Amino acid sequence: MSDNQEIASHLKISVVIPHFDDLKNLDRCLQMLEAQTLCRESFEVLVVDNNSRCTLDRVQEVVDDRAVVLLALEQGAGPARNVGAAAARAPLLAFIDSDCRPAPDWLSQALEALQTHAIVGGRVVTESEIPGYPSPVEAFEAVFAFRFDKYIRKKGFTGSGNMAVRKNVFEDVGGFRKAVSEDVDWSHRALAKNYKIIYDPSVIVGHPARRNWQELRKKFERLSREGFLLIKDKPRGRLKWFLRSFAVLLSPFIHVLRVLAAPELPRLTDRLAAARILFAIRTYRFFEMNRLLFTRRTS
């Protein structure tokens, strides 16, 4: 048996991290992976660079010997994840984003969950820049962002920033597709093959909240674009999209109750600030959804 084969035989799980010009966060993520409670010989880390402007050499310098650095020539986090999954040597896969901060037992908990389940989505905890003193946008994110529990139980998909899956299942479903809501698309294809996605709140990563209105707006512009591309060619897809836009517009009148009672925000001032952002961003989303619908009607 060769040295590489012997190393691979000890591997239980492969961690895949797509990366694009995010060296500071990548370094922190790798530091936290080195501090996992799971034995270091039991997992490998694959950093898949997505043509960063900082150059592959600089990425390799930051990564050092903590991970294997790969290059994804096709742009997009989905294609980068696919490259990492294809190169993974362990029977289990754990996907995390470069700006996520895994809890010390993240991999141990993921490994345990995958003993009885094929696909696992974990918990994502938003983190404000100044702990305990969120900006209005950070307060909004604390209540509404990365609700993997809701995504899985009510919408039938899990985010890929904190997802674990058996490699043979991932290969059976196929890789992530680009230019659509890749998490939603992949999860729905998995469900169509009768795989069950479960939510496990013990599989935890932290993620910085969006800090300001510009970051939040860009997030929902991207999600709206990907969601529209996913639905527009389906039967009555455009009509459903149009009706959904009005549901988004009216939703703050219901969800504001969730904000005003949010345990994530102990201070009333933060709850009121989050409520203001709730109404503003849902109104913006309404107009953005209809802009996509009517300006691309002939596409």
Side-chain angles (χ1 to χ4, degrees), residues 92-291:
L92 306 175
L93 302 173
F95 293 101
I96 189 171
D97 289 339
S98 59
D99 56 354
C100 288
R101 292 86 184 263
D105 62 348
W106 177 63
L107 282 175
S108 296
Q109 295 291 348
L111 197 64
E112 182 176 347
L114 287 174
Q115 302 309 305
T116 52
H117 303 284
I119 308 170
V120 177
R123 180 184 173 202
V124 180
V125 179
T126 59
E127 301 174 354
S128 57
E129 190 170 18
I130 303 176
Y133 295 91
S135 69
V137 168
E138 288 174 334
F140 169 83
E141 288 260 294
V143 180
F144 291 105
F146 308 113
R147 291 295 308 274
F148 280 30
D149 54 341
K150 178 181 177 182
Y151 301 161
I152 293 170
R153 293 167 180 163
K154 295 185 177 181
K155 299 185 178 181
F157 78 93
T158 183
S160 50
N162 185 12
M163 171 178 138
V165 58
R166 296 174 188 171
K167 186 177 181 181
N168 65 327
V169 171
F170 183 82
E171 291 172 339
D172 185 36
V173 174
F176 294 101
R177 295 195 302 149
K178 63 179 297 186
V180 297
S181 294
E182 60 185 43
D183 307 358
V184 178
D185 174 71
W186 190 89
S187 296
H188 287 178
R189 284 189 281 126
L191 293 176
K193 285 181 170 285
N194 295 319
Y195 292 116
K196 184 178 180 180
I197 304 172
I198 67 105
Y199 173 69
D200 191 327
S202 64
V203 182
I204 303 172
V205 304
H207 191 288
R210 273 77 183 180
R211 311 296 187 201
N212 52 52
W213 175 259
Q214 183 180 14
E215 291 182 3
L216 189 67
R217 189 198 70 209
K218 287 184 177 179
K219 168 188 173 180
F220 283 107
E221 286 175 353
R222 174 180 58 81
L223 292 177
S224 294
R225 182 176 63 253
E226 293 174 349
F228 180 67
L229 291 174
L230 195 62
I231 197 175
K232 71 183 183 73
D233 294 324
K234 294 183 177 180
R236 298 185 180 179
R238 291 177 180 271
L239 175 60
K240 291 177 182 178
W241 184 259
F242 181 64
L243 296 176
R244 185 181 298 175
S245 73
F246 281 93
V248 167
L249 182 64
L250 297 174
S251 63
F253 294 98
I254 298 174
H255 292 164
V256 70
L257 299 176
R258 165 80 173 89
V259 175
L260 296 178
E264 301 91 344
L265 302 173
R267 297 187 306 174
L268 178 60
T269 53
D270 293 331
R271 295 178 184 181
L272 294 175
R276 177 169 57 85
I277 296 297
L278 168 65
F279 279 91
I281 196 62
R282 298 288 171 84
T283 301
Y284 183 84
R285 286 177 60 191
F286 169 79
F287 286 107
E288 177 65 11
M289 291 174 73
N290 282 281
R291 184 192 69 80

Side-chain angles (χ1 to χ4, degrees), residues 15-35:
V15 180
V16 177
I17 310 174
H19 170 263
F20 179 75
D21 281 327
D22 192 26
L23 293 177
K24 182 178 180 180
N25 279 320
L26 175 63
D27 181 51
R28 182 170 180 177
C29 182
L30 291 173
Q31 289 177 14
M32 300 181 87
L33 286 172
E34 289 297 307

